[in-house]
Amino acid sequence: MLIKIPKKSELSENQVTQESVYLQRRQLLKGMGFIGAGTLLSSALSSKAHGSVFDLFKEEEKPVFTRKALSYSGQAGAENFPEKLTPEGKVISHNNFYEFGAQKHQPAELAQGFKVNPWQLKISGEVDKPVTLDYDRLFSTFALEERIYRLRCVEAWSMVIPWVGFPLAKLLKMAQPNSRAKYVAFETLHDPEQMPGQSSRRLGGGIAYPYVEGLRIDEAMNPLTLMSVGLYGKTLPPQNGAPIRLVVPWKYGFKSIKSIVGIKLLEKEPPTTWNLLAPHEYGFYANVNPGVAHPRWSQASERRITTGGLLARNRIETLMFNGYGEEVADLYKGMDLRKFY
Ligand SMILES: Nc1nc2c(c(=O)[nH]1)N[C@H]1C(S)=C(S)[C@@H](COP(=O)(O)O)O[C@H]1N2
Ligand SMILES: [Mo]
């Protein structure tokens, strides 16, 4: 995620931003016809020899972890979804998961050994019945369903992903929120030994870990809001937030927090990671909104990652609420979405 555009001299302090910055620059130069594919990024990315993002788009390059097939009913049916799915190979190799490095290719490499079992997810706070789910219960407590959603990153790229999971509302209802529960806070695992970005400012993008996120309770209870345990019919790979992550399809991707260990019902709005880091750039609400530009770039359009890789001009218009307005616009009636960005 972009924090600020660094001057060359500041790069060492802003390693985290470099990929996004270079990608932007690259696109600009490419648009101007200055660079060809062969020379792109070779010096721009990390010093690693394999640091070219083009490698990410080779379908045959499959990571080494194993994922087990999930059984679920309620098949979403890709044939009924009007847009092309992003190929699995791209969904699992182009990631934002700063705990495993701030560059898109790093999570798929650095998260390979991540232990997801045993796991504990605790639901606590303003609830009558606190709940703890262990690894097996994540997959067996609620009927799993497939949901095909657009994922729109605040950096202006997007994917279409067939998730497998269950509505967050079912989990929250199990814990029985009380009348003081107005917000829901989420927390990612904090384990610097396993997550190299949590012990290295350079790798981890300067984030104060654990990564935290939040929703208003009515947003959390909306039927679109998904707890995902899989994608493409199999358990999540670590780089996509195994064993369980949130998916909020009408909000920018950073709200969809990964590898969750804690969910807490609260009376007050909880702090959220990107808002803490750059409050004027990333708000609590973070609803996808083509009419409200990020301070440093437009949000009116996005690069859809389908089959074309980085060279294709899959530029499409960004839709209000990422196209989910019918389901969620009512949540924000009377709110100034410029103020509550
Ligand atoms: N814990 C944690 N969750 C996270 C992030 C992160 O860095 N750490 N990145 C977010 C961002 S910016 C995006 S766009 C999505 C990306 O999800 P994906 O890699 O599965 O496509 O995860 C979100 N969840
Ligand atoms: Mo993102």
Side-chain angles (χ1 to χ4, degrees):
M1 191 157 330
L2 293 168
I3 297 168
K4 57 184 272 212
I5 305 252
K7 295 189 193 89
K8 259 200 188 127
S9 59
E10 293 175 322
L11 269 180
S12 54
E13 268 192 29
N14 291 279
Q15 297 273 332
V16 318
T17 64
Q18 68 172 324
E19 184 193 18
S20 311
V21 171
Y22 277 111
L23 280 175
Q24 272 199 339
R25 250 181 228 156
R26 201 178 136 267
Q27 256 160 4
L28 188 75
L29 292 172
K30 203 178 67 204
M32 296 161 77
F34 283 155
I35 8 181
T39 59
L40 293 172
L41 287 174
S42 45
S43 61
L45 286 175
S46 74
S47 52
K48 284 185 188 170
H50 56 287
S52 166
V53 286
F54 288 99
D55 297 343
L56 302 178
F57 293 94
K58 286 181 195 150
E59 285 307 298
E60 63 276 13
E61 247 186 46
K62 288 275 154 72
V64 294
F65 57 84
T66 49
R67 295 161 60 196
K68 62 176 189 318
L70 290 169
S71 63
Y72 52 94
S73 54
Q75 213 113 345
E79 62 284 357
N80 299 322
F81 197 81
E83 294 151 45
K84 207 167 166 34
L85 299 192
T86 298
E88 185 175 2
K90 286 174 194 169
V91 176
I92 67 176
S93 64
H94 177 277
N95 300 101
N96 272 335
F97 199 170
Y98 279 40
E99 285 87 336
F100 296 103
Q103 297 182 20
K104 299 288 181 289
H105 66 99
Q106 286 176 324
E109 297 164 6
L110 300 178
Q112 287 316 301
F114 184 55
K115 268 227 236 30
V116 297
N117 188 8
W119 194 266
Q120 281 206 326
L121 169 60
K122 289 187 185 171
I123 298 92
S124 63
E126 299 291 354
V127 294
D128 289 338
K129 294 230 155 62
V131 171
T132 300
L133 298 180
D134 65 16
Y135 183 82
D136 290 326
R137 286 188 69 204
L138 296 178
F139 303 94
S140 58
T141 307
F142 308 102
L144 299 181
E145 45 186 295
E146 183 172 63
R147 301 269 187 101
I148 298 174
Y149 284 156
R150 300 175 203 97
L151 176 80
R152 176 34 164 102
C153 177
V154 74
E155 297 165 324
W157 53 264
S158 65
M159 297 188 182
V160 178
I161 303 175
W163 301 106
V164 180
F166 53 85
L168 172 61
K170 287 194 184 177
L171 181 57
L172 296 181
K173 280 175 193 159
M174 193 176 175
Q176 300 180 19
N178 66 35
S179 59
R180 287 181 299 278
K182 305 273 167 38
Y183 291 90
V184 186
F186 303 84
E187 193 169 304
T188 294
L189 179 70
H190 189 233
D191 185 352
E193 301 226 325
Q194 285 207 79
M195 295 174 144
Q198 291 182 336
S199 50
S200 154
R201 211 184 137 76
R202 184 187 58 77
L203 261 182
I207 286 176
Y209 292 101
Y211 194 103
V212 288
E213 257 306 335
L215 295 170
R216 229 171 45 192
I217 186 102
D218 56 346
E219 298 177 321
M221 291 294 191
N222 187 279
L224 286 183
T225 306
L226 195 70
M227 291 299 282
S228 169
V229 295
L231 60 85
Y232 269 102
K234 288 164 279 180
T235 49
L236 291 173
Q239 61 269 34
N240 291 89
I244 187 160
R245 57 95 55 89
L246 183 69
V247 180
V248 194
W250 71 95
K251 292 178 180 284
Y252 291 121
F254 65 84
K255 299 294 291 182
S256 293
I257 180 174
K258 296 176 169 179
S259 304
I260 301 171
V261 293
I263 297 181
K264 201 163 184 179
L265 286 284
L266 300 172
E267 207 167 355
K268 298 226 163 72
E269 186 181 295
T272 56
T273 287
W274 282 96
N275 180 251
L276 289 170
L277 206 59
H280 54 292
E281 303 196 357
Y282 308 105
F284 174 81
Y285 282 91
N287 292 315
V288 174
N289 188 340
V292 176
H294 184 278
R296 290 181 284 108
W297 62 88
S298 164
Q299 295 290 23
S301 69
E302 66 203 49
R303 181 171 60 83
R304 172 60 55 82
I305 300 177
T306 50
T307 54
L310 287 167
L311 290 175
R313 290 175 180 277
N314 295 325
R315 203 83 207 171
I316 58 172
E317 280 181 23
T318 291
L319 303 173
M320 186 64 201
F321 297 119
N322 206 21
Y324 300 98
E326 218 169 282
E327 290 93 337
V328 303
D330 279 355
L331 295 170
Y332 310 103
K333 254 198 201 134
M335 276 177 74
D336 178 356
L337 296 179
R338 236 162 231 295
K339 187 167 168 226
F340 297 100
Y341 55 94

